[in-house]
Structure formats: structure tokens, C-alpha cells
Amino acid sequence: MGNVDKGKGLARILRFGAFELDIDNETLYERGRRVRLQDMPLQVLLILLERPGELVGYQEFYSRLWPDDELGLLEDNLYTAMGKLRRALHDPARKPNYIETVPRRGYRFVAPVVPVGVEEEAASVSAGRRFTFLHGILTVLLLLVLAGGWYWLRPDGVETVQARQHYTLAVLPFQNLGKQDDRYFSEGVSDEITARLVLIEDLAVIGRASVTEFRDAAMSAEAIGRELSADYVLHGSIRWDHRDDQPDRVRVTSQLVRTRDGTNLWAMVEEQPLTEVFRVQAAIAEQVAEAMDLTLFERERVAMQSEPTAELDAYDFYLRGNEYLWRSEESSDIELAISMYQRAVELDPEFALAWARLSKAHGRQYWFHWDHSDERLEASGNAIEQALAIDPELPEVRLALGTYYYWGQMDYDRALAEFESVHDQLAGSAEFQLMIGSVYRRQGRWEEAARHYRESARLDPRSAFMNIHAGQVLYHKRLFDEAMKYLARARSVAPDITEPYFVAGLIHLARDADTVAARREVEQGLAMTGRAGMLANWLEWTLMVLDLYDGDYAGMLDRAGHVDWESVEHQYQFQPLALLRGYAHVGMGHPDDARKYFELARQKVKVQLKERPDDPRLHSVIGITHAGLGQSEAAIAAGRKALEMMHPDTEAMRGPYRAEELARIHVMTGEPDLALPLLELILERPSHFSVAHLQNDPVWKPLHDHPEYKRLISDYAH
């Protein structure tokens, strides 16, 4: 790769729009916050800033950045780098604020560029100090006012979400009166009506999973509303009339019921050509709002009346994609959703909603490690770039952009900024509450995270998914009893889903050090999986860990002999089976056998590290294998590297695993004094770890007589 001459006519710091580029340190900032930008997009930006306002031709980029390219990939390389740069600058190609594309010629930087001199910097710092002082005074005053307001307005002893919504509405899946194969269409239309109603600031809308449960229920709308704690219920039916010789038509019947007294407030029957389906959706949403006496802002009215695509076949594929996307968390279903969204955008490249969903579907595959490849991340990024170029103000597009920063870049500040930008429009959505709560959780803002997770479960009370996540965040906060309530609700609505049993087992272990109860829960969850798939492997791994906790080393080795996998992984950990075998032989007093298995585990992780050198999980676990082999220096170096890459202060969910694993390494290498501060680091904050783990896991036995260990047990016992 060629190098850009950083001194070629450039000031030390350049300011454009909301951004500043520090040339010396090759660092981009947005309103004072660092923007993560890979090297190639940064080099492209530097070239453009050498001559703002002037055309920079493709050939100049090629000759300076890829002078030795022999594969004919120059155009793709430049396009990829430019796409990443545009995403960092929030700069849609079709309506650029910074970088203009000159067709068939190159690019031009069109925004004003202002050099920031030393004097200006000094003045800025001085002003910043004055602002900080005044801001501090104002903040204290504001906190006093808020504290007083909370004192007078708080509900006694109850933690609540200050909901802005005046009413809660449940939109039931519209009944399909046409062909059996058309059910996805009728339910998709009701989902789209829901999406329009969610945009109303004064309205909360019950989530999809909860209303789907009542699809075929022999209950009145009034009774369903009471079951869902909804003030109103909208229900109806759709008949899609397929015609060979004439345009297709749809007949939509809808009715709004007030649940407190069963009053039918509004009803509509409308038959229109299929091409009018968006107008019908908008009319239903607007008239429902009017019947509920809700005031619509102009922004909300315009959003309701939007038509996402002019291609009905593209819309059909979009609805099919939604059906697969929400069907399960299985990778196969997500891939089917991706194929449907891909067909939708091929038929209509201007379909912003489909591009946004396509980005989120690719992002889900990447985040959950179903396909944690650069190609998958690039696909997610390219899709959201297309959506932004078409309609950057669409709330669903901003939500997808925030999701991309969250899942794809682990850039939690930027993700949160995007989510907060559409808060007023999407606050009534369970999915939105889940996503913003998830980012708060990653940032270690646990109170805010728990508040949003509780709200997501309130908005989708019969969603196993929402209740599981609420249970998980409360488990990490060590609010074990409340967590169990959400998990019990998840099991009651979806007894065949595995995760509630798994998390409940972890709670029995973390709260009570009860391996018997934990084993019972995990075995029940394992039975639900049919003993197939990655989750089943993790449950089998958990049973082996419980064997180690119980000192049943022979039983653990026997169990290991009956599984057909060599390692398990999720976003938090990578665990080779050989590592557990090594632990078992240590417990049995077989050092030679233990070393053999630690070496097997090391070799397996070494192969993975060649493919994923930036994966902190792998550095942690290879450090543990080095410790098992008596290679103290290499073990500690690997563990420290993992912790530096993912510290609890920067990643509140995954970071504690790295701290615990480094503590484990220190104990295994005979340095308990170094392990104890790390254990306190994760005990003093919400995490997966508790004092019960210290008492149960045999790896911590060398600490048991240490005075500092006894203090930790005393201080952090729940």
C-alpha cells in the first residue's frame, strides 16, 4: 500500500462540519469523541483533504494507495474504503455533505475545511475550562432540582419507567381470509400498521411476540387486551384476491376496541387494488389515532403516509423476510430472511426499509458468531450505507445504523447516539427498548439497562425473548429473585425454549452455590434442544463444569467421552473440551495426563488465533493452557493482553470474563496476591460472577486461607 504524505500542505488539525482530524495522530473526532476508522478509509480522507473542493481522480487514489496491485481489484478496494469513510461521516452518497462522487471520474471533498491553529486551540481550551466550571455549577443546581422533584413525585418504594405514552395498544395479527399460503401477507400488513402506529409519541404498542400468541385464540378483543394490559386492541382481517386477468385486490376489515368496557370505537371495511395497500395501512393508522383522541404531529403524519416501495413484488419479499427474521434465533432462519431481503432490494434498489433490515440480519449473524467474518460485517455495512443514501431520516434506518455500530463495530457511544436520535419516535417499541438497553448494558450503565429491559418486557409481556433478556440483565445485577420471575414468565409462554432453563441454572449456582438445582435446570434445558446444535453443546459443557465443581472428575471424563464436539464458543468465551479434561486430571492428581490435555487445548487455540488474532477470548484461553503447562510468563502475557483488549471498563458484559480468566491464570501460576484484585474488580460491579463461584470452583481452592479471599467472601456475599 502506498503512503499518504501527511505533511503535504496540511495543517496539524483540520475541522469540517462536526469533525476534526488530527493529522499527526491519524485520529478522527466527532464533537470531541473519537471515531473508529480503519487505515485505508483514513488514507482516502487524507488525500481528499489535501485539495478540498478539487476533483481527485480514481487513478490518483490507485497510484498512491495501491501502486503494486496485481489482482485488478482497485475499483473494489476504493469503493469499499469510500463506503467505510462515508459511514464514519454519516455522509450518504446521494445527498453528500462532505464527499461528492463525480461519475466516471473520481471524488471531491465539498465541505468547508478550516485549519485549527495553536492559538485557536489554546483559546478553545481556556473557553472549555470556563464552560466546564459553569457547567459543573449548573449540573449541581439541576441535580438538586431533580432530586427535589423526585422526592415529591416518586411512587413509594417502586422503581418505574417514566413512560411518556398515554395509552397502550395491541395490534393483533390480522386474520387471513385468503389462501393458506397468504398468512405471511396478512400478518405482515398488520405488522406494518403497527410500525406506523409506533411512531406516535403518545402511544405504546405491544410487541409482536405477545400479540402473535393470540392469533387464533377464541377470546374477545376485550379479554385479550386485559391479558396484555393494553388500553385498546386493534384487530381485523385481510383477503388477498389473486386474479389472473385483472389487477389483484385486497379487502381489509379492521376494528378498534376499548378494553376497559369492550366498546367498539371505530371500524373500517375497505377494498382496494393491491397497489393501494400502503394507503390503506396509512388510513387505518391515522383513523385509529383519531379514534383514540391522539394528536399527530406533522412529522408523524408524514411518516404514516409514506410508501416504502413502488414495487409490490419487492414488498412481498420484504414481508417474507420479516416472517423468517422473527421466527427464531436460528442461523438458518436468519439466512432465509437475508435471501428474501436481498430479492426485495434487487427488485427495488430504492427500498430503504429492506436495506435496513438486510443490514440488521447480516449484523445478527456476525454479532452472535454464527458467521463472524469480515465479509459478513462488510455486507451489513454496505446494506446500511445503501439505506442511508436513500432515506437517512427514516427511524428504522437510524435504528439499523445504531445496530450496525453496536453489533458490527462495538462502538457503543455512536450506537447510543443513533438510538437516542429516534427515541421519541420509537419509544413505544419493545425492540427499540431492548436495543437501547443492550447498549447501556455494554457500557456498564446497568440501572438504565435494567430500566429499558423491564420496559421491553412490559411492551411485549408474552415474548420469551424479551423476558429472557430482562432476566439476564437482572442476573448480572445479582437481583436473582426478580430475574427468576422473568425467566418463569418466559417458560410459561414458551416452555420448549432452552435459554430460560440455562439462565435459571446459572442463577442457582451464583445465588446459592446449589449445583444440584443448577444441574436439574440445565438437564431440562438440554432435553428441550433434542441434544443438537451449539446451545446443546454449551449445556453439555455446563454439566461438565458442574461435575468439576462437585469433584466428580471421573464422571466428567466419562461425560466428555460421549460428546461429538471438540470446542464450544459464544460471544463471551471459547472453550476447548481438552481444557476441561486437563482440569479433571489435575483434580485426580494425574499431572502428566493433565499436561497432555493442556497441550492439546493450546494447539487447538493456536490454530484459531492464526485466523482471529484480534479475538481476546482466544488470548485468554491460550493463557490458561500455558498456565496449565507451567509456562508462567507466556500465560500471564496472554491473559494481560486479553484484558487490555477487552477490559470491564470498556465492555461491561464481556470484559469481566477476561478479568476472571487472568485471575485464574495467576492462581494457576502460584500468584494469588495478583488474582484477588481482579476478582474484586468483577465482584464490585454487575457481572456473571459471584462469591458462590469462588466457593464452588476448585481452581480457587488455593485462595481459601488467604485473608483477602475471606474479606471478599464477607464483603460481596449477597
Side-chain angles (χ1 to χ4, degrees), residues 541 544-545 548 556-557 575-585:
W541 175 86
M544 292 183 216
V545 170
L548 293 177
M556 193 242 97
L557 292 173
Q575 291 288 338
L577 181 59
L579 187 62
L580 292 183
R581 287 186 164 123
Y583 287 145
H585 282 290

Side-chain angles (χ1 to χ4, degrees), residues 185-254:
F185 180 81
S186 61
E187 295 187 5
V189 169
S190 59
D191 285 343
E192 292 303 297
I193 293 171
T194 299
R196 294 170 190 259
L197 288 164
V198 160
L199 298 174
I200 301 175
E201 189 171 328
D202 290 334
L203 185 64
V205 184
I206 296 294
R208 189 181 198 274
S210 293
V211 296
T212 299
E213 183 178 338
F214 295 96
R215 176 195 292 125
D216 302 315
M219 298 171 63
S220 67
E222 179 184 4
I224 292 173
R226 287 197 298 266
E227 188 76 16
L228 295 173
S229 299
D231 303 300
Y232 298 89
V233 168
L234 176 67
H235 64 106
S237 63
I238 294 179
R239 181 186 295 278
W240 181 0
D241 186 6
H242 299 266
R243 302 183 177 188
D244 295 329
D245 54 346
Q246 299 179 51
D248 290 1
R249 297 183 68 82
V250 289
R251 178 182 174 86
V252 182
T253 302
S254 50

Side-chain angles (χ1 to χ4, degrees), residues 366-646:
Y366 180 82
W367 176 252
F368 290 104
H369 284 256
W370 304 130
D371 178 10
H372 198 72
S373 65
D374 291 341
E375 293 76 14
R376 181 68 71 174
L377 179 59
E378 192 68 28
S380 178
N382 288 339
I384 192 57
E385 181 188 359
Q386 293 293 332
L388 285 166
I390 298 163
D391 192 347
E393 302 305 317
L394 194 65
E396 176 74 22
V397 170
R398 307 312 299 192
L399 182 63
L401 177 60
T403 303
Y404 172 77
Y405 287 136
Y406 170 22
W407 285 347
Q409 302 294 332
M410 291 176 58
D411 190 339
Y412 302 136
D413 288 340
R414 297 184 78 181
L416 188 59
E418 292 300 332
F419 292 156
E420 288 178 339
S421 74
V422 292
H423 181 278
D424 290 345
Q425 294 147 290
L426 297 179
S429 160
E431 180 190 0
F432 170 79
Q433 294 290 347
L434 178 74
M435 293 304 295
I436 194 170
S438 296
V439 172
Y440 279 130
R441 184 176 68 172
R442 298 282 167 177
Q443 292 181 318
R445 298 165 66 174
W446 290 94
E447 290 302 322
E448 292 145 300
R451 186 168 67 249
H452 285 285
Y453 274 108
R454 290 183 180 108
E455 181 70 354
S456 72
R458 184 187 76 82
L459 290 171
D460 208 347
R462 302 186 73 81
S463 164
F465 186 75
M466 298 298 176
N467 282 289
I468 290 167
H469 278 271
Q472 285 177 336
V473 76
L474 293 167
Y475 155 57
H476 280 79
K477 280 175 60 63
R478 303 187 185 94
L479 298 175
F480 299 125
D481 294 344
E482 186 183 359
M484 280 295 206
K485 292 177 182 177
Y486 282 99
L487 297 172
R489 187 191 297 172
R491 280 195 279 202
S492 70
V493 298
D496 58 334
I497 293 181
T498 300
E499 287 91 332
Y501 303 97
F502 181 50
V503 180
L506 298 180
I507 289 175
H508 282 300
L509 205 57
R511 179 183 63 187
D512 309 316
D514 188 344
T515 58
V516 175
R519 190 183 299 275
R520 183 172 61 247
E521 297 280 5
V522 173
E523 287 176 340
Q524 191 170 357
L526 186 59
M528 295 298 176
T529 68
R531 295 182 178 270
M534 181 59 75
L535 184 55
N537 297 350
W538 265 109
L539 292 169
E540 289 175 331
W541 175 86
T542 303
L543 289 175
M544 292 183 216
V545 170
L546 291 172
D547 289 336
L548 293 177
Y549 282 13
D550 289 337
D552 185 6
Y553 304 120
M556 193 242 97
L557 292 173
D558 180 65
R559 193 187 301 276
H562 290 85
V563 301
D564 59 359
W565 46 269
E566 290 300 322
S567 64
V568 290
E569 67 174 305
H570 53 40
Q571 58 174 303
Y572 303 110
Q573 288 181 298
F574 179 92
Q575 291 288 338
L577 181 59
L579 187 62
L580 292 183
R581 287 186 164 123
Y583 287 145
H585 282 290
V586 168
M588 298 172 74
H590 301 157
D592 292 339
D593 288 331
R595 287 181 59 83
K596 179 181 73 173
Y597 284 111
F598 284 132
E599 177 59 25
L600 283 173
R602 191 184 72 84
Q603 292 298 331
K604 184 169 187 63
V605 180
K606 186 178 178 181
V607 171
Q608 295 292 322
L609 267 171
K610 287 182 180 179
E611 298 177 3
R612 296 179 280 178
D614 296 328
D615 191 334
R617 304 171 309 158
L618 300 176
H619 289 284
S620 281
V621 75
I622 205 167
I624 293 171
T625 64
H626 281 304
L629 292 166
Q631 300 163 354
S632 300
E633 188 174 339
I636 294 168
R640 285 177 175 169
K641 181 173 183 177
L643 185 59
E644 289 169 2
M645 295 170 73
M646 188 170 281

Side-chain angles (χ1 to χ4, degrees), residues 686-697:
S687 76
H688 67 288
F689 197 72
S690 74
V691 295
H693 292 98
L694 279 175
Q695 295 169 313
N696 263 13
D697 191 336

